[in-house]
Amino acid sequence: MSELTPGFADPVLGAQSCFRAILEAMSRPGRLQRVAGIDQPPAPLGVAAAATMLTLADADTPVWTDAGRAAEDWLRFHAGCPLVASPAEAAFLLATGRMPALATLAQGSEEEPHRSATLIVEVRTLAETVGWKLTGPGIETEHRLQVAGLPADFLRQWAANRRGFPRGVDVVLTAGPWLAALPRTTRIEEA
Amino acid sequence: MAYVAVKGGERAIDAAHAWLAEARRGDATLPELSLEQIEQQLGLAVDRVMAEGACYDRGLAALAVKQARGDLIEAAFLLRAYRTTLPRFGASLPMDTGAMRLRRRISATYKDLPGGQVLGPTFDYTHRLLDFALAAGGTPPPAPQATPDGEATPRVTGILAQEGLMAPEAPSETEPPDLTREPLSFPAERPLRLQALARGDEGFLLAMGYSTQRGYGNAHPFVGEIRMGEVAVEIAPPELGFPIEIGEITVTECQMVNQFAGSKTEPPQFTRGYGLVFGHGERKAMAMSLVDRALRARELGEEVDAPAQSEEFVLYHCDNVEATGFVEHLKLPHYVDFQSELEKVREMRATVFREAAE
Amino acid sequence: MGILARADGAAIAARLDAAPPLPAATRLRGPETGLVMARGRQGGDGAPFNLGEMTVTRCSVRDAEGRVGHAYVAGRDQRQAELAARLDAALQDPVRRPALLEAVIEPLAAAQAERAAAMAARAAATKVQFFTMQTMR
């Protein structure tokens, strides 16, 4: 408890600008957004992962994370979110190690596809001029995104995730202060 | 229902709002009401706004009363709107009204109940004659004080329960439903009904409660106990892991005792209707307890034939913010709807006249 | 904590003037105002139900010596919440605790007890004395 650090320096403006960044990232899949407003995120979270959690999670959203005790205490304290042990029960998941398989997460229903999980993954690096070719809603021709730190079978999992539309998981990738989003509608091809 | 966008009234609306502000202030040569004055001297209006606004904050309720020019339903609406801007930190532990610091406590069923009858600051026994001395103003002499005898004040329902004459409440720590988070659905269980009634309109509940006394619902109620005073509120924040007191609030509680003829599984006994409201709101707490008891008809195996026994009727219509929204929306432009009605009526009239002429 | 929750910010500040200074503190969270859902029990002693919300202000601080203090207080007084959190941290220090209890907490508790006693005395004066109690039952 005594290792606790502050959340957003300005809670209202911090959450608003981070929400805007997530909205931009979801509307333009693969484009990087830079997030600020948190001086000392708890290890091992980067600024973007920490800010995303404080912006999206609250007392009504069960959260799963593998980020360890310090991050759990910090999330419980600042976001007020309940933490759950089973990935399938979570509305938001924050993975810093090996991410849970997409198929094991809440997929929503045909009637209520919005009741699916959003997975936030802290990866090693993100770059937007090279790598995967992304197409789909929000992308005029194609966007490029290079990600280091996802499981080797991620693209296979992602293709399966897309087939369940309108059900399916949305993903936010974070690396330090950067984030990019992969909404369930985005097609990804290997470069 | 259809609405058409109507533009062009902006200047008129601005002028109307400016006039509203001026009318709210009234004669500017008179001193302006402060929030402290409203809180202190119109305290029961403030209490009613907190109860129906479902948000306990005397200062905010006083501001709402001032802004609404004393229109208490409008004030409750303002308070409900404000609360939506605040984050929810959590829920309190269930308050222990048995440990209330009493300002008032009366029973109509036992004259000599342990702890006694404490009248408190009540309108009862006043003659309801206008007091022109108040028009002149002035500070009243201080109220008399006496040494409290320290006698315990157990609940009347507890006394009846000891003899087995009162149906006990099943002990439970079930997480209650919350109609501010999930829309009302039926059948509504008692915790959900109580939440709806606690924020319901006093006038509506009064009329519904009255109807049960007049034969629509077959009630024969007695006030087991009314108590009003201060109760401590505790929460258990996750970062602390133990409960802490965050302050005290004023509440009014009413236990209405009703005869129950018994059923296949239950012997004849008394059952209770329960009322609990923010602030000093005795009429509301009593009306709420009558309606709560009436709404238990289904659960107790009684016939359900009166309006006050119908969950849907009572719960869908007791909220004055919803009710005023739907009634007052009729003021909004319905030009297109009405145009089609107009055409239909003209056509029907033409048909009638044509047939009459043939 | 209950005593600080019932005292307003100005009263706490006035008491702190007469006390040894509190250590400097940084804000971990708040002061921020939100809501707590106040719960009652059906029939007074049965299953919980949601009565309605109340405004609550909370604050958490860490003082220069690393002690973390938390406060939740009814109402919207941010000064009260922050001072209560700083006092919560300082009261964990066995060296500071006795002086703070004496200068701040005890006087506030005494003033609150006095107000409660005055209210109880007024209530006692309105207690009905039935002289025929024994025969009327």
Side-chain angles (χ1 to χ4, degrees):
Chain A
M1 191 50 60
S2 58
E3 286 92 54
L4 266 181
T5 54
F8 280 118
D10 182 329
V12 174
L13 292 180
Q16 278 177 353
S17 65
C18 181
F19 186 80
R20 184 74 225 177
I22 297 166
L23 199 63
E24 284 287 327
M26 284 283 179
S27 338
R28 304 180 202 325
R31 286 279 152 86
L32 297 191
Q33 305 290 327
R34 195 185 169 96
V35 177
I38 296 180
D39 294 336
Q40 299 165 264
L45 307 190
V47 170
T52 299
M53 292 309 291
L54 288 200
T55 302
L56 298 180
D58 66 17
D60 292 331
T61 59
V63 166
W64 174 93
T65 185
D66 61 359
R69 184 63 194 276
E72 284 176 14
D73 284 346
W74 190 85
L75 284 174
R76 213 183 274 118
F77 182 69
H78 288 295
C81 54
L83 293 168
V84 293
S86 157
E89 290 169 25
F92 294 103
L93 300 101
L94 172 60
T96 56
R98 189 176 168 81
M99 62 169 246
L102 296 180
T104 63
L105 310 183
Q107 305 286 315
S109 64
E110 296 282 336
E111 296 77 29
E112 298 183 301
H114 60 281
R115 291 193 180 268
S116 63
T118 300
L119 170 65
I120 294 107
V121 192
E122 179 84 8
V123 295
R124 282 199 303 282
T125 57
L126 287 170
E128 64 178 359
T129 50
V130 288
W132 294 338
K133 289 178 183 156
L134 311 186
T135 52
I139 302 170
E140 193 171 8
T141 51
E142 65 171 33
H143 287 172
R144 306 295 296 268
L145 184 68
Q146 190 179 57
V147 188
L150 284 175
D153 67 344
F154 181 81
L155 287 190
R156 202 163 44 76
Q157 288 193 41
W158 186 254
N161 187 56
R162 269 201 69 231
R163 280 197 295 276
F165 187 84
R167 302 166 76 233
V169 174
D170 303 308
V171 170
V172 176
L173 302 168
T174 60
W178 298 99
L179 68 82
L182 298 172
R184 66 193 82 171
T185 50
T186 301
R187 276 186 298 277
I188 310 179
E189 290 166 73
E190 205 99 52
Chain B
M1 221 161 314
Y3 309 102
V4 272
V6 178
K7 260 191 97 71
E10 280 177 38
R11 206 177 303 161
I13 290 170
D14 287 344
H17 288 172
W19 196 6
L20 170 68
E22 202 178 275
R24 177 188 294 122
R25 177 62 182 87
D27 183 347
T29 61
L30 295 173
E32 186 178 353
L33 270 179
S34 71
L35 296 192
E36 291 75 16
Q37 285 170 329
I38 294 171
E39 211 183 308
Q40 293 290 318
Q41 297 172 41
L42 298 176
L44 298 187
V46 167
D47 285 352
R48 181 167 178 183
V49 169
M50 294 195 302
E52 292 171 13
C55 182
Y56 195 101
D57 187 310
R58 300 192 67 81
L60 288 178
L63 174 59
V65 170
K66 179 172 179 171
Q67 187 176 333
R69 305 176 64 194
D71 177 339
L72 300 188
I73 293 181
E74 178 74 14
F77 192 170
L78 291 170
L79 199 54
R80 292 258 189 109
Y82 182 79
R83 70 157 276 282
T84 64
T85 66
L86 297 175
R88 168 89 63 94
F89 293 157
S92 81
L93 306 184
M95 294 181 287
D96 180 8
T97 52
M100 187 184 295
R101 288 202 293 117
L102 296 173
R103 278 194 272 157
R104 174 167 168 79
R105 187 256 194 157
I106 55 162
S107 170
T109 51
Y110 291 109
K111 183 161 65 172
D112 52 347
L113 80 167
Q117 310 262 0
V118 176
L119 302 182
T122 179
F123 290 126
D124 298 351
Y125 324 107
T126 62
H127 295 125
R128 267 65 184 225
L129 299 173
L130 277 176
D131 178 1
F132 289 95
L134 274 179
T139 307
Q145 302 196 13
T147 309
D149 52 22
E151 211 184 332
T153 50
R155 299 170 192 280
V156 167
T157 49
I159 302 171
L160 283 167
Q162 272 174 4
E163 269 194 78
L165 291 171
M166 168 65 75
E169 293 286 350
S172 161
E173 297 305 331
T174 310
E175 186 72 11
D178 184 351
L179 63 79
T180 69
R181 295 291 161 118
E182 297 288 337
L184 211 51
S185 64
F186 297 97
E189 290 314 308
R190 196 168 168 217
L192 190 64
R193 301 197 303 252
L194 287 170
Q195 182 183 14
L197 297 179
R199 57 203 254 132
D201 182 70
E202 179 171 323
F204 178 86
L205 294 181
L206 179 65
M208 283 288 120
Y210 182 39
S211 74
T212 67
Q213 289 179 276
R214 291 197 62 260
Y216 293 88
N218 191 31
H220 193 214
F222 296 92
V223 167
E225 186 175 359
I226 292 172
R227 44 172 73 197
M228 184 275 290
E230 281 64 48
V231 196
V233 182
E234 293 185 323
I235 60 169
E239 63 270 23
L240 288 174
F242 52 85
I244 54 167
E245 187 187 324
I246 58 171
E248 281 182 333
I249 64 173
T250 303
V251 294
T252 308
E253 180 185 57
C254 176
Q255 302 267 12
M256 197 67 82
V257 177
N258 263 264
Q259 202 193 91
F260 172 56
S263 65
K264 281 181 196 133
T265 53
E266 298 285 329
Q269 58 189 326
F270 293 105
T271 55
R272 62 187 116 171
Y274 188 66
L276 183 67
V277 297
F278 280 155
H280 187 179
E282 198 158 299
R283 189 187 300 118
K284 165 85 176 271
M286 292 177 74
M288 176 176 170
S289 63
L290 288 170
V291 177
D292 172 49
R293 176 59 185 81
L295 289 174
R296 297 181 66 194
R298 181 171 50 88
E299 146 202 352
L300 293 169
E302 296 169 339
E303 246 176 88
V304 177
D305 48 15
Q309 295 169 321
S310 162
E311 278 176 19
E312 292 204 26
F313 186 81
V314 172
L315 301 188
Y316 271 142
H317 301 120
C318 69
D319 191 292
N320 59 25
V321 176
E322 279 172 23
T324 200
F326 203 49
V327 168
E328 294 201 44
H329 103 282
L330 294 172
K331 293 184 288 195
L332 298 173
H334 285 68
Y335 307 143
V336 174
D337 301 71
F338 189 66
Q339 194 64 38
S340 77
E341 296 257 324
L342 207 58
E343 274 164 30
K344 201 195 298 170
V345 171
R346 280 185 183 134
E347 202 178 289
M348 290 188 318
R349 282 168 63 91
T351 310
V352 168
F353 291 140
R354 202 169 46 240
E355 282 171 2
E358 276 167 10
Chain C
M1 196 42 74
I3 290 158
L4 293 172
R6 290 173 213 219
D8 64 41
I12 300 173
R15 287 291 160 192
L16 278 169
D17 283 344
L22 294 177
T26 53
R27 294 171 174 180
L28 288 177
R29 183 179 67 191
E32 58 183 347
T33 299
L35 296 167
V36 162
M37 175 58 86
R39 286 184 175 161
R41 288 186 182 278
Q42 59 185 37
D45 54 2
F49 73 95
N50 290 310
L51 175 62
E53 287 161 316
M54 56 192 286
T55 55
V56 171
T57 302
R58 70 178 176 186
C59 185
S60 297
V61 299
R62 188 198 347 263
D63 69 19
E65 289 147 31
R67 292 189 181 84
V68 174
H70 301 286
Y72 283 77
V73 299
R76 288 169 290 128
D77 188 340
Q78 303 214 337
R79 186 182 187 198
Q80 177 195 7
E82 183 155 20
L83 289 175
R86 291 181 63 188
L87 275 162
D88 181 46
L91 284 165
Q92 294 166 37
D93 176 358
V95 179
R96 284 198 170 84
R97 188 179 172 87
L100 287 173
L101 284 179
E102 194 188 324
V104 182
I105 305 296
E106 284 158 15
L108 289 174
Q112 287 165 19
E114 200 175 312
R115 276 201 301 277
M119 198 70 89
R122 280 180 175 77
T126 67
K127 184 165 169 176
V128 182
Q129 308 292 340
F130 290 110
F131 297 109
T132 52
M133 194 160 63
Q134 295 308 321
T135 55
M136 287 288 287
R137 190 164 194 171

